[in-house]
Structure formats: structure tokens, C-alpha cells
Amino acid sequence: MSFLFSSRSSKTFKPKKNIPEGSHQYELLKHAEATLGSGNLRQAVMLPEGEDLNEWIAVNTVDFFNQINMLYGTITEFCTETSCPVMSAGPRYEYHWADGTNIKKPIKCSAPKYIDYLMTWVQDQLDDETLFPSKIGVPFPKNFMSVAKTILKRLFRVYAHIYHQHFDSVMQLQEEAHLNTSFKHFIFFVQEFNLIDRRELAPLQELIEKLGSKDR
């Protein structure tokens, strides 16, 4: 959760997405933070009894966006057009950007440009009340789960890029514990609800297995 990052400046890449205080989603976020504090991440990601699955996924998706926003915000000076001319996760994985609306045909671009496109696109989805309703009683749309899966699949790529291309910088900043905890939480969450195809996780498969085995 975002409270993991209180030790450093609160520089974010994009503006933080806030969940309205007093709303049911805010209560869910507080519940998630409390269970995370217990240290058992496998338990912390489980759907709380009696809660709506879509709402639980929505609250956590907003929180992962905020976490990645902060993590990437700490290393933007190292992720430049020169250092990262393509959006990659190691030598075997390269990502091209398309959003299906403004950019229909995938384009090759630098990592900072790709991540800017990606985070702006995610922000637009989160701000869309028809996709992510914040008011009580407003139903989630039928396509909510497929949109959430696309958001999480794309957010994973930012983790993958940071781990493969910028882990040295993360260590210099002494942020590796934050990054690892955030990523472990993210992976346990997407595994719990089967939200990202295994093939999409391939760039960090070794790390995912290591994090999973440590928890058994």
C-alpha cells in the first residue's frame, strides 16, 4: 500500500489517485492496509468476507497505480530517452505502445515515453466513473474485469522495466525493500484472482518464483 513509501519524498510521476474518504472503497482500502500491516501478504490479498469482488479489485488497482507512480517517480531521472531508447524488460522483451483509441497501431518508443502513455491511459480509466464508479450503489460495468486485467498487465510492465533496467538505481536510493514488498503484494494479488496471463509475467518469472517460495 502507499503507506510503505513514507520514508522518501512523495514525488510521484503522475498525480496520486485518491479514494474519497468516508466512502465504502475508502473503508476497504483501510482494511487492506490493516491486513498488510500483519505481514501476511497471501492473506492480505484475499477478498474480505461479504465484499464485492469488482470493488475489491478496483480499490487495489487504484492502490497499485499509486505505488508504481511513486516507485517510478523516484527513478525518472535515470530513465531517459538516451538510457532507455526502447521500452524493454531485459534483452528478450520489448513493448510497443497502443491504446486502441488514440494510437491503434503499436508504436515503438522510448521507455519514458511508453510509461508516460501507459500511466496517462491508466489514470484516464481510473477517472472514468462509468468504469470505476466511486459512488455507493453505482454498478460496475460488464467489461470491468477485462479493463482491470489490461490495467494490471500494463502496470506489471513498469515493474519489469524497473527491475531489469534500473535496479542499480533503486539500490543506490535504498528503495529495494519498498520495490520488493510492493511487487510481491502485486503478484500475490494478481495470482489470487488470476488477473494476468502467465506468459505476460515471463520477464520476471524467476523473481516471482523466488518471492513465492520464500512465503511458503
Side-chain angles (χ1 to χ4, degrees), residues 10-71:
S10 57
K11 179 188 175 192
T12 59
F13 179 58
K14 296 280 174 192
K16 185 172 183 278
K17 171 74 180 167
N18 287 314
I19 290 174
E21 240 176 285
S23 68
H24 183 61
Q25 290 187 8
Y26 186 79
E27 296 309 311
L28 272 182
L29 184 67
K30 290 289 140 206
H31 168 86
E33 287 183 357
T35 49
L36 269 177
S38 73
N40 185 339
L41 282 175
R42 284 272 182 225
Q43 210 175 333
V45 298
M46 289 175 182
L47 179 67
E49 205 177 327
E51 294 297 347
D52 177 66
L53 177 61
N54 284 345
E55 197 157 32
W56 182 237
I57 287 174
V59 164
N60 281 279
T61 300
V62 168
D63 195 62
F64 289 128
F65 168 78
N66 286 334
Q67 287 186 42
I68 291 166
N69 209 355
M70 275 193 233
L71 283 164

Side-chain angles (χ1 to χ4, degrees), residues 106-119:
I107 57 166
K108 186 173 179 169
C109 55
S110 68
K113 189 84 181 149
Y114 184 100
I115 293 170
D116 191 20
Y117 279 136
L118 186 158
M119 296 300 269

Side-chain angles (χ1 to χ4, degrees), residues 97-151:
W97 178 255
D99 58 17
T101 313
N102 300 320
I103 300 171
K104 290 188 169 73
K105 194 179 171 194
I107 57 166
K108 186 173 179 169
C109 55
S110 68
K113 189 84 181 149
Y114 184 100
I115 293 170
D116 191 20
Y117 279 136
L118 186 158
M119 296 300 269
T120 302
W121 177 84
V122 172
Q123 203 169 24
D124 289 345
Q125 310 311 299
L126 300 181
D127 286 341
D128 184 342
E129 278 287 325
T130 64
L131 282 176
F132 280 77
S134 59
K135 294 177 181 69
I136 292 177
V138 178
F140 283 85
K142 287 188 170 65
N143 67 334
F144 171 74
M145 200 59 86
S146 71
V147 172
K149 284 179 175 181
T150 304
I151 290 172

